[in-house]
């Protein structure tokens, strides 16, 4: 299952994106410093729910400033050896202990491109999205050019099971979110009486 919406988070605000055949479409946004943030988020959620008759499920796109990218030496030769090499390399790249980090990587020869995010940041983002009814099911990021191949995927949210049917898991997207249309899609027109 792939989420039908994405919440692109920044320190200033949030942008709501809907999955479409051509990529992702921005359906709304807000800054965090507005007077009635709760009201605006409720409106954005209701608009998203109206566009999602099968239910709203979202992936959380972490702010650029909260994701660390690195290229590390990881020749393997086995997958387990490579994972241990990556963990040894990323320990110390952030102020967090290894068990406090979520990471994803792709292998390029004897190196690995790694994306790292603190679990406490992921939990804060999930709490925010869940509080406002956006049904978050997974975490991802949009990497800068050359920093990662594909979409960094930090796994399912802690509460994902509440929004997924039995025996369903979240599938990662191969490519990062790319917004194909900047404006809100128009509502379907009603036939004339």
């Amino acid at each position: 299952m792939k989420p039908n919406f994405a919440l692109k988070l920044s320190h200033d605000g949030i942008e709501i994106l809907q999955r479409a055949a051509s990529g992702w479409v921005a359906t709304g946004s807000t800054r965090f410093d507005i007077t009635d943030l709760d009201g605006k988020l409720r409106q954005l959620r209701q608009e998203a729910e109206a566009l999602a008759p099968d239910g709203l499920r979202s992936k959380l796109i972490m702010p650029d400033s909260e994701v660390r990218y690195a290229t590390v030496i990881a020749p393997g030769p086995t997958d387990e050896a490579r994972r241990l090499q990556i963990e040894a390399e990323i320990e110390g790249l952030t102020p967090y202990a290894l068990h406090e980090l979520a990471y994803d990587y792709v292998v390029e020869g004897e190196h690995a491109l790694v994306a790292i995010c603190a679990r406490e940041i992921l939990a804060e983002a999930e709490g925010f999205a869940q509080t406002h009814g956006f049904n978050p099911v997974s975490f991802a990021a949009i990497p800068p050019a050359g920093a990662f191949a594909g979409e960094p995927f930090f796994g399912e949210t802690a509460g994902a099971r509440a929004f997924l049917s039995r025996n369903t898991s979240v599938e990662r997207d191969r490519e990062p979110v790319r917004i194909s249309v900047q404006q809100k899609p128009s509502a379907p027109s009603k036939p004339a009486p």
Side-chain angles (χ1 to χ4, degrees):
M1 170 272 169
K2 291 187 178 182
N4 50 0
F5 282 84
L7 275 60
K8 187 172 183 248
L9 304 166
S10 73
H11 291 287
D12 299 330
I14 182 173
E15 187 172 19
I16 313 300
L17 308 171
Q18 182 181 23
R19 188 182 296 273
S22 60
W24 292 84
V25 178
T27 64
S29 65
T30 186
R31 292 186 53 83
F32 290 136
D33 60 1
I34 65 170
T35 306
D36 184 14
L37 179 60
D38 287 344
K40 180 63 175 177
L41 289 169
R42 186 170 39 258
Q43 173 198 341
L44 291 171
R45 186 196 71 239
Q46 289 169 346
E47 290 171 358
E49 288 171 339
L51 295 169
D54 294 335
L56 166 65
R57 288 172 299 283
S58 63
K59 71 173 161 179
L60 305 179
I61 307 295
M62 302 312 295
D64 295 340
S65 61
E66 299 297 342
V67 180
R68 170 82 191 261
Y69 295 94
T71 301
V72 300
I73 298 171
T78 65
D79 290 342
E80 179 64 14
R82 182 174 288 116
R83 184 186 62 76
L84 293 172
Q85 292 159 356
I86 290 167
E87 289 180 351
E89 291 279 331
I90 65 175
E91 193 152 32
L93 289 179
T94 73
Y96 296 92
L98 185 61
H99 72 276
E100 298 174 306
L101 298 172
Y103 69 92
D104 190 16
Y105 67 91
V106 291
V107 176
E108 289 195 347
E110 294 199 349
H111 292 83
L113 304 178
V114 185
I116 309 161
C117 189
R119 291 188 187 281
E120 73 176 3
I121 301 298
L122 298 176
E124 287 174 16
E126 179 179 359
F128 170 82
Q130 201 158 351
T131 296
H132 294 286
F134 287 101
N135 304 342
V137 296
S138 64
F139 303 103
I142 301 174
F148 201 86
E151 179 179 75
F153 182 72
F154 299 115
E156 291 185 1
T157 61
R161 295 286 103 209
F163 311 115
L164 300 173
S165 59
R166 188 177 218 184
N167 299 323
T168 301
S169 59
V170 178
E171 294 176 48
R172 74 184 300 152
D173 282 305
R174 292 172 55 114
E175 296 300 319
V177 166
R178 298 284 181 242
I179 302 170
S180 60
V181 177
Q182 289 292 338
Q183 51 197 342
K184 185 188 278 189
S186 57
S189 57
K190 295 183 180 176

